[in-house]
Structure formats: structure tokens, C-alpha cells
Amino acid sequence: MFRSFFMSRQWFFWAWLGSALILSVTWYKVQLDVQINEWFGSFFDMVQKALGTPGAVTLESYLGEMSTFLRIAGLYIVIAVVLEFFVRHFIFRWRHAMNDFYMANWHLVRDVEGAAQRVQEDTMRFARIMEGLGVLFMRSLMTLAAFIPLLWGLSEKVTELPWIGPVPHSMVFVALLSAAFGTVLLAVVGVKLPGLEFQNQKVEAAYRKELVYGEDNADRASPQTVVELFAQVRKNYFRLFFHYLYFDVAKWSYLQATVLVPYIALGPTVVSGTITLGVMQQITRAFDRVESSFQFLVNSWSTIIELISIYKRLAAFEERIRLAKAAAPVAAA
């Protein structure tokens, strides 16, 4: 899965230089996000000044702030579009590398259940999910590196936390505790899902394989066999749906509750009137970036579950290749 792409001379430039380019551009996007956060502070301070003192802000100044935002946002859009285009090519090259490796060893694994699916579909899904999660993870780390110092400094303006009192740099710790709670919660609630996803791939592969055989062989894919195989598919999906039901209840309840966390934490500071509207906007946006980055596992849990099931299938596939190669000299002897 990894060696065929990252340890290959053929794919060296795409694998390593491509990864470096993706990370560099992702870091630049984070810096643009920091600039937008600073813009929110100055803009809403202007809004507060204009609403509090009519005539204190000219229309030219107001529209000037708009043009500043459009300049930053326009650059962000261009960078994001070009990056997505490059990432799609990167993913396909990774899939290409895995496909070449598996097809070179096809004679060793062609009898494995769902072998065609693993080469044709699982390689595509694995490369796509790995790249998506990898970029998201690195973006989360870069966002933390950029926004934690910002939130750390802004937290000095927060006078106290409700029911607790003054806490130095409190908003950083609130974001960390909120994300840690959600991560542990979903890890416990969703502990059964990876195994069910893996089982789901197995029953789907068995069902698909019988249908493919039935296309060329009238003795295969008989009504009774198809009904039995689809019954297994149905049973596994219904189990999966049930476990996702309470997982989704926990996930969405947590995500909706966290929307209020920064505003609750800022409650005493807001009612005391010690910060401006612009500073409040900066704090809440920086808090959201830090908390969302800490919530990487929370936001990606369903995708990680899918990745684990695909990884298990491809790992078993590659283990079969390894064992077949190891046994080849013995068989020849």
C-alpha cells in the first residue's frame, strides 16, 4: 500500500515532492485563514464604532474593508482550487502504483475472494481516503501551530470562566478539554463500527463475486444462492445501521453542543463589557479553529472507520502475496 508508491523510483517525484508541495500549500492556506481572522477583528470593531457613533465611519472606509476581505478570500479560492486539482492527480498516481504492484502478482492472488474488487475499488478508495485524512491531519497540526499562539494571546482579555473564575489563557484549555471529551466519547461509542465495516466488505464481495460468475455461467448465481447471499448483506447492513444510530446521536449531540462552548466561556467577559465586538469575533473564530483542529478524530471518525476496513482487506491481500512468494522456492524444490 505504501511501499509501492513511496519506496519506488518510478513514483519518487510524485510521492515525496508532491507530498511536500501539498503540505507547503496547505500551510499557506492556514496563513491566509489567520489573515481573515485578523480582518474579522478590525471589521467588527469598525461596525461597533459605526453603530455606536453615527458618522464616525465613512462609506469609503467600510467598503475598503470589504475589498481587503475580497483580496484575501480571492487568493484563498485560487490556491484551494489549484491544490484540489493537484491532489486528485496525486491520488490517482498512488492508486496507479498499487494497481501495478497487485497486477504484477495477480497470478498469486486471483483466487482470493473479492480479488478484483481489492485491485479495482479498494486501491482507489484507500488512496483517496489516506490522502484526504493525511492532508486534513496536517492541516489540523498547522492550524494549531498558527492559531494557538493567537488564541493564547487573545485569552488574556478573558476575565474569568463561568463557575470557575479567572484562569490564565483559559480559552486554549477550554478548546482542548472540549475536543478531548468528544474524542473519547465517540471512540467509546463507535468501538464496534470498524469490525462491522470490515464484515460488510466481505459479504458485499461474496455477493458481487457470485453475480459476476453468473454473467458467464448459467449454473452460478441461482435464485436460491443469490437470496442467501443477499440475506447476509441485509443482515450486516441492518446491524451497521443500528450501531450507527446511537453513534450519530452521540456525534451530532456533541457537535451541536460545542457551538455554545465559546459563548458560555465568554459569558462573564461579555456581560462585564471588557471586550469589543471585534475582539469577541476574533476569539470565537480562533477558538473554533483550535477546537476543530483538536477535533480531528471526532470529525473524521466515520472516514477512519471506512479506512480501517479497507486497510484490513488490502493488508490480508498483501499478506497472501507475501506467503505465496515465500512458499514459491519450496514448491519449486
Side-chain angles (χ1 to χ4, degrees), residues 40-262:
F40 266 89
S42 61
F43 176 73
F44 278 97
D45 278 344
M46 175 185 288
V47 170
Q48 185 177 31
K49 181 180 179 181
L51 295 177
T53 308
V57 176
T58 64
L59 180 60
E60 288 75 14
S61 299
Y62 185 82
L63 295 179
E65 287 292 324
M66 296 293 163
S67 65
T68 299
F69 176 82
L70 290 176
R71 176 181 59 80
I72 301 172
L75 182 58
Y76 187 96
I77 291 170
V78 171
I79 295 296
V81 170
V82 173
L83 178 61
E84 287 296 319
F85 178 80
F86 181 82
V87 166
R88 291 186 179 98
H89 277 273
F90 181 93
I91 292 170
F92 188 83
R93 264 64 176 193
W94 193 346
R95 176 192 176 185
H96 192 172
M98 286 192 290
N99 180 82
D100 289 350
F101 172 74
Y102 292 145
M103 293 312 299
N105 296 281
W106 179 250
H107 61 287
L108 301 175
V109 292
R110 62 186 307 160
D111 59 331
V112 174
E113 183 181 35
Q117 178 190 352
R118 301 188 197 199
V119 173
Q120 183 270 324
E121 181 180 342
D122 287 351
T123 54
M124 176 269 294
R125 294 170 63 198
F126 178 80
R128 174 175 52 82
I129 295 174
M130 275 297 302
E131 181 59 27
L133 284 178
V135 171
L136 182 59
F137 178 67
M138 294 307 302
R139 178 177 173 81
S140 296
L141 293 181
M142 293 174 181
T143 300
L144 289 175
F147 277 92
I148 282 183
L150 180 61
L151 185 60
W152 188 270
L154 290 171
S155 294
E156 295 179 354
K157 302 177 182 181
V158 179
T159 56
E160 60 179 294
L161 294 178
W163 313 293
I164 297 177
V167 177
H169 313 292
S170 56
M171 298 303 289
V172 174
F173 299 111
V174 171
L176 175 60
L177 291 174
S178 173
F181 172 77
T183 300
V184 173
L185 172 66
L186 295 191
V188 172
V189 174
V191 67
K192 292 186 177 181
L193 293 176
L196 291 173
E197 284 282 2
F198 178 63
Q199 180 63 26
N200 195 57
Q201 292 293 326
K202 291 178 63 177
V203 296
E204 284 279 22
Y207 182 55
R208 178 184 303 156
K209 182 177 181 179
E210 189 65 24
L211 292 177
V212 170
Y213 280 144
E215 292 178 356
D216 301 317
N217 191 338
D219 296 331
R220 302 297 296 266
S222 64
Q224 181 180 354
T225 302
V226 170
V227 167
E228 292 175 355
L229 290 173
F230 190 75
Q232 292 297 319
V233 173
R234 179 179 182 274
K235 178 182 178 181
N236 197 77
Y237 266 108
F238 283 9
R239 287 180 62 199
L240 196 61
F241 294 160
F242 170 74
H243 287 284
Y244 263 115
L245 176 64
Y246 63 78
F247 175 82
D248 287 339
V249 169
K251 175 183 176 179
W252 290 112
S253 298
Y254 165 74
L255 290 177
Q256 290 301 312
T258 55
V259 173
L260 296 177
V261 169

Side-chain angles (χ1 to χ4, degrees), residues 313-333:
R313 287 172 54 79
L314 291 178
F317 200 53
E318 293 185 2
E319 179 65 11
R320 179 66 176 270
I321 293 174
R322 187 188 67 80
L323 293 176
K325 286 184 174 181
V330 176

Side-chain angles (χ1 to χ4, degrees), residues 20 135 164 204 276 302 305 308:
V135 171
I164 297 177
E204 284 279 22
T276 65
S302 298
I305 290 170
I308 291 173

